[in-house]
Amino acid sequence: MRRTASPMSLFLLGAGVFLLVLAPLLVTYVQPRAKRTPVDIDTTTVFTGTGSYFDTARLETVHGRRITITRQVRGDVADSTDSGRAVWDVSTSVDTDQTLPASDPRDALQWTLERWVTDRRTNEPVHCCGESPAFDGEAYLKFPFDVQERDYRWWDGTLGGVVRLRYAGRSTVQGYEGLRFTGNVPPTRTGVRQVPGRLVGLPRTPQVLAEEWYANTRIELVADRRTGRIVLAAIGPRKTLRAPGADKDAVVLLSSDRLVFTPGTQRRQVDLAASDSRKLELLGRTVPLGAGALGCVLALTGGILVVRGRRTEPGSEHTHLTLHQAD
C-alpha cells in the first residue's frame, strides 16, 4: 500500500503555517509601525466656561462672562513626509461673546499661532522644520501611545515651561474610560508688558513695564490609554498684570475657575480615540490571536492528512499495467 498527500491536505498545512508565521509578525512588526502620530490631522477642539477678562473698550475687567477657547490643529503633510516627523500647525484663539463668530482670529481676545514638531513614535519634541516655540515635555496635544499610570511632564504654552501632571486614577468620559491626570501652576512671572501706569496703580507714571503673571489653578486631562488621545481637558487659567516689584495683582486680564471641552468636542474625541484604539487592538491582539488559533487548527489538520495520505490498493497499479499490455 502506498500513501500520497492530497492537494487539500497540502493546502491546509500551508495555510496553517502561513497564519502561524503571520500572527507574531502582526504583533512585532505591523502594529509597532501602526503606532505613529498621524500627519494628516485636521481637528478642532473647543473649551467653554465662565470667567473674567479685561475689556479693552471699557478699560476695565468684566466678570461672569462666557469665555471660549478654540484650538485648530492641522498637519503639514508635505513637511511631515520630508522630515519623517509629525509637523502640526496649531491655532488657538480666546474669544468672548462679542468676538464670536470671528472671520479673522486676530480679532479675538487673544490669538496664537504655533508649530509643533514631534517624533511620530515617542511623541518627544523634535527641534526642526520651523518649530515655534521650542518646547519640551512628554505630552501636549496628546500623550504618547500606551499611556502608563505614572506622572507625565506636560508642556504649558502660556507658562513657557513644563508642568508635572500626576496620575489620578481612571475616569469615564461620555461612557469611555481613560486615564486621568491633574496638575496646577502656581503664580509665576512670565514677562513684561508696556501699559499706562494708572492701569497698575501708578497714575503719575505715563508708561510702565508691568509684570505679566500667570497661574493655572486646575489642569485636568483624561487620555485614552492605547492611543494617547486626550478625550477631556479642563483648565483654570489666570493671567494678570502687576506693578514692577509688586506682590499683588493690579489687573486681571483673563481668569476662569474652569474652562472645559464642550460636550460636542468630548464626543468627537471619544469617537476618534475609540476608532483608533480598536484598530490597534485588532492588529496587536484580536487578529494575531485569531490567526494563531486558526493556524494551529489548519496546520494540525493538514499535517494529519499528509501523514495519513491517500491509500492505494496493493496490486492496483500492476493490474492497470497488465490491462494496457493486453490491449
Side-chain angles (χ1 to χ4, degrees):
M1 184 185 299
R2 189 178 64 177
R3 300 179 180 220
T4 59
S6 69
M8 177 58 69
S9 64
L10 293 176
F11 171 78
L12 292 176
L13 179 60
V17 172
F18 171 77
L19 290 176
L20 289 174
V21 173
L22 177 64
L25 280 178
L26 289 174
V27 177
T28 61
Y29 185 83
V30 178
Q31 193 211 34
R33 283 157 179 77
K35 287 182 178 180
R36 294 290 187 270
T37 300
V39 299
D40 57 348
I41 187 172
D42 188 353
T43 63
T44 300
T45 55
V46 181
F47 298 72
T48 59
T50 303
S52 308
Y53 64 87
F54 186 77
D55 190 328
T56 55
R58 300 170 58 176
L59 294 179
E60 64 179 9
T61 300
V62 294
H63 305 280
R65 307 300 174 90
R66 186 170 63 176
I67 298 172
T68 302
I69 299 179
T70 305
R71 176 174 292 148
Q72 185 175 51
V73 181
R74 288 182 176 176
D76 189 321
V77 177
D79 282 0
S80 297
T81 302
D82 291 342
S83 66
R85 314 297 187 181
V87 182
W88 291 358
D89 293 316
V90 184
S91 172
T92 305
S93 60
V94 181
D95 287 280
T96 66
D97 287 345
Q98 285 69 39
T99 61
L100 279 176
S103 57
D104 190 334
R106 289 172 293 186
D107 295 333
L109 184 67
Q110 295 178 23
W111 177 63
T112 59
L113 184 61
E114 303 165 318
R115 168 164 282 212
W116 298 88
V117 185
T118 58
D119 184 283
R120 296 187 63 197
R121 182 179 61 86
T122 66
N123 204 51
E124 291 286 340
V126 178
H127 307 298
C128 73
C129 316
E131 171 209 22
S132 176
F135 70 106
D136 196 2
E138 302 170 277
Y140 175 61
L141 298 174
K142 70 181 293 292
F143 281 73
F145 290 96
D146 298 321
V147 184
Q148 302 174 21
E149 296 178 355
R150 64 170 177 85
D151 296 350
Y152 278 86
R153 295 162 56 243
W154 180 74
W155 175 262
D156 187 322
T158 304
L159 176 66
V162 172
V163 179
R164 180 168 295 279
L165 295 183
R166 301 192 179 280
Y167 174 64
R170 301 187 180 189
S171 182
T172 301
V173 178
Q174 302 281 335
Y176 190 81
E177 186 179 79
L179 302 184
R180 180 171 174 263
F181 299 87
T182 61
N184 65 83
V185 179
T188 305
R189 178 180 169 176
T190 56
V192 295
R193 178 186 302 190
Q194 186 171 345
V195 299
R198 61 185 179 87
L199 198 63
V200 292
L202 300 174
R204 296 184 179 181
T205 306
Q207 297 290 323
V208 64
L209 287 176
E211 298 177 357
E212 292 185 334
W213 284 72
Y214 165 72
N216 203 322
T217 58
R218 180 175 184 176
I219 302 170
E220 178 185 1
L221 302 176
V222 178
D224 174 48
R225 176 190 291 273
R226 184 169 282 110
T227 66
R229 184 181 292 274
I230 297 174
V231 296
L232 178 121
I235 55 176
R238 180 176 175 85
K239 298 180 67 176
T240 61
L241 291 178
R242 296 183 184 183
D247 58 1
K248 293 184 178 181
D249 298 329
V251 178
V252 174
L253 300 177
L254 178 70
S255 180
S256 176
D257 291 335
R258 182 174 170 85
L259 299 175
V260 63
F261 273 177
T262 64
T265 293
Q266 294 177 35
R267 282 193 296 271
R268 286 191 297 272
Q269 293 296 100
V270 164
D271 289 344
L272 290 170
S275 175
D276 291 343
S277 184
R278 281 194 298 269
K279 294 174 183 176
L280 292 177
E281 172 76 11
L282 284 173
L283 288 175
R285 182 176 176 84
T286 306
V287 174
L289 286 177
L294 182 58
C296 287
V297 173
L298 294 179
L300 181 61
T301 303
I304 292 174
L305 292 177
V306 168
V307 171
R308 292 178 60 184
R310 184 177 60 207
R311 297 182 179 181
T312 304
E313 291 298 326
S316 61
E317 183 178 353
H318 178 267
T319 303
H320 183 71
L321 290 174
T322 303
L323 292 174
H324 274 283
Q325 291 173 355
D327 292 340

